[in-house]
Amino acid sequence: MTQTAAARLRQAVSRIRDTTRDRTATGRGAQDADDVAGTFATDGALGFDPFPFLRALHAAGSHAVVIGQVAGIMHGSTELTGDLDLLWDGTPGEARALREALVIAGCAEPPDLGHAQVAYQVTGAGGDLCTPALSWGGLDVTACLTRAVRADDPSGFTIRYAALDDLIGMRRAIGRPKDLRRADELERLRT
C-alpha cells in the first residue's frame, strides 16, 4: 500500500481545478467525449473531485476498482480527466455496497446495476460502473479485480485501483486513440 498514488491523484485534482477555473460550461457530458481528448474536454472536468465518492466506496465496504484515467493518474500519468470509472464484479453483495456508496456521495437516484455498464453521477464525479460482462475487446478483466493495488489516502481510507499491467492491457484492448496514447505513456512509466 502506498500514499504516493493517492497524492498523485490529489495533485491531479488540484491541477484540474486550476486548469478549468475559468472554463465555461458547454453542456458537453461524458457521452460527448471524443476518442482523442477524452472527458477532460467535457463539463465533467468542471468541479471534478472523486475523493468524496472514493471515501464513500471505502465506507460502504465496496471492492470496486478504479480503472480508466484516474487509475492512470495514480500510476503516474500526467493526462487529466473528467470522470471516474470503476470495475466491479456484478454480484448482488457488491451491488448493495455500490448503491450505499452512491447514496452517501449524493446520488439521488442510483442507476440500475443490472447492466454490464451504467453511468452514474455523484457530487464531484461521474463516470461508468462496469462489470467483467462488458465487452473489453476480447480481454477477460475478471482477474483485474483480485490483482488490484491499494493506496491509502492520508485522510484515512483506501482506494483500490487497477494494477499497471492490467490497466495497460485494458487500454490496448479498447484501442481508441486516447487509450493507445495513454497505454504508451504507462509503458514508459514502467521503465
Side-chain angles (χ1 to χ4, degrees):
M1 292 184 262
T2 178
Q3 289 186 351
T4 304
R8 284 183 187 130
L9 182 54
R10 286 202 177 273
Q11 291 167 352
V13 168
S14 179
R15 285 180 39 228
I16 292 166
R17 182 179 54 249
D18 292 346
T19 304
T20 61
R21 180 167 312 187
D22 297 325
R23 188 191 293 178
T24 303
T26 62
R28 292 183 65 225
Q31 70 280 3
D32 302 313
D34 66 43
D35 288 345
V36 178
T39 57
F40 182 66
T42 71
D43 290 351
L46 303 176
F48 181 71
D49 182 359
F51 283 97
F53 188 40
L54 293 171
R55 178 184 288 282
L57 289 166
H58 176 86
S62 171
H63 292 97
V65 173
V66 174
I67 58 173
Q69 189 53 16
V70 170
I73 289 167
M74 294 180 78
H75 283 293
S77 174
T78 59
E79 286 198 37
L80 301 177
T81 190
D83 68 346
L84 173 66
D85 297 326
L86 300 169
L87 177 66
W88 66 290
D89 64 13
T91 64
E94 185 60 30
R96 280 189 296 279
L98 276 174
R99 276 192 294 278
E100 181 180 337
L102 287 161
V103 170
I104 290 169
C107 182
E109 292 185 40
D112 178 1
L113 298 176
H115 302 283
Q117 178 180 10
V118 295
Y120 75 92
Q121 185 68 48
V122 295
T123 303
D128 291 315
L129 302 171
C130 307
T131 71
L134 182 66
S135 175
W136 293 92
L139 181 68
D140 181 3
V141 300
T142 306
C144 298
L145 293 163
T146 57
R147 289 191 298 251
V149 292
R150 297 168 29 140
D152 291 327
D153 187 79
S155 67
F157 64 95
T158 300
I159 304 166
R160 298 180 75 234
Y161 63 106
L164 183 60
D165 288 342
D166 289 332
L167 186 58
I168 291 170
M170 292 169 94
R171 293 246 183 248
R172 295 222 182 277
I174 295 170
R176 298 171 297 196
K178 68 178 181 177
D179 293 304
L180 297 175
R181 180 183 69 242
R182 291 170 176 174
D184 289 343
E185 178 191 28
L186 293 173
E187 291 275 2
R188 289 189 300 274
L189 291 172
R190 186 178 6 203
T191 58

